């Protein structure tokens, strides 16, 4: 399944400081799109941080989770799409479960992590 062409979708809503997996992530922008036609409505979401696209997720509006997803590398290329939602880790400023959220890391199909973090760089 190729990446969705968002120019064929209608913008639905945009959320700044969006939540991922129910956890608000400062600086995360989520843009949601819809496209009707046929029996089902298609949906897509583009996540970005600091003006850099991180993730595309798409599928059908009547499904709870994404059907496909793709991660964008900091170099600017999209990794191959995978079925289902990506593996995402919420990054925090410290080890405590209530430590402030600073960003997120998304695992590529090859097992590498792409991070978008507002805190100083640190090793994973």
């Amino acid at each position: 399944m190729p990446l969705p062409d968002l120019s064929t979708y209608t913008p639905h809503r945009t959320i700044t400081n969006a939540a991922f997996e129910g956890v608000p992530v400062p600086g995360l922008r989520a843009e949601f799109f819809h496209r009707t036609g046929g029996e089902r409505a298609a949906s897509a979401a583009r996540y970005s941080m600091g003006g850099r696209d991180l993730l595309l997720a798409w599928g059908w509006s009547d499904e709870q989770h994404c059907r496909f997803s793709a991660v964008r590398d900091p170099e600017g290329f999209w990794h191959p799409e995978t079925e289902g939602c990506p593996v995402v880790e919420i990054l925090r400023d410290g080890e405590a479960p209530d430590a402030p959220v600073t960003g997120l890391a998304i695992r590529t199909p090859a097992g590498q992590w792409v991070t978008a973090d507002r805190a100083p760089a640190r090793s994973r």
Side-chain angles (χ1 to χ4, degrees), residues 71 73-74 87-91 104-108 110-115 124:
V71 178
D73 189 88
V87 175
V88 175
E89 179 181 305
I90 301 296
L91 302 177
L104 48 81
I106 309 164
R107 193 168 68 194
T108 70
Q112 301 150 321
W113 289 91
V114 173
T115 61
R124 284 200 34 79

Side-chain angles (χ1 to χ4, degrees), residues 1 20 26 41 48 57 61 66 77 80 104:
M1 169 69 65
F20 204 91
S48 60
S61 296
C66 47
F77 72 89
L104 48 81

Side-chain angles (χ1 to χ4, degrees), residues 58-109:
W58 65 98
W60 303 105
S61 296
D62 60 354
E63 294 178 335
Q64 185 175 5
H65 295 286
C66 47
R67 175 70 59 110
F68 298 97
S69 61
V71 178
R72 188 166 183 173
D73 189 88
E75 320 285 298
F77 72 89
W78 288 99
H79 287 270
E81 63 279 350
T82 57
E83 287 190 35
C85 297
V87 175
V88 175
E89 179 181 305
I90 301 296
L91 302 177
R92 296 180 179 275
D93 187 16
E95 299 295 320
D98 61 345
V101 173
T102 60
L104 48 81
I106 309 164
R107 193 168 68 194
T108 70

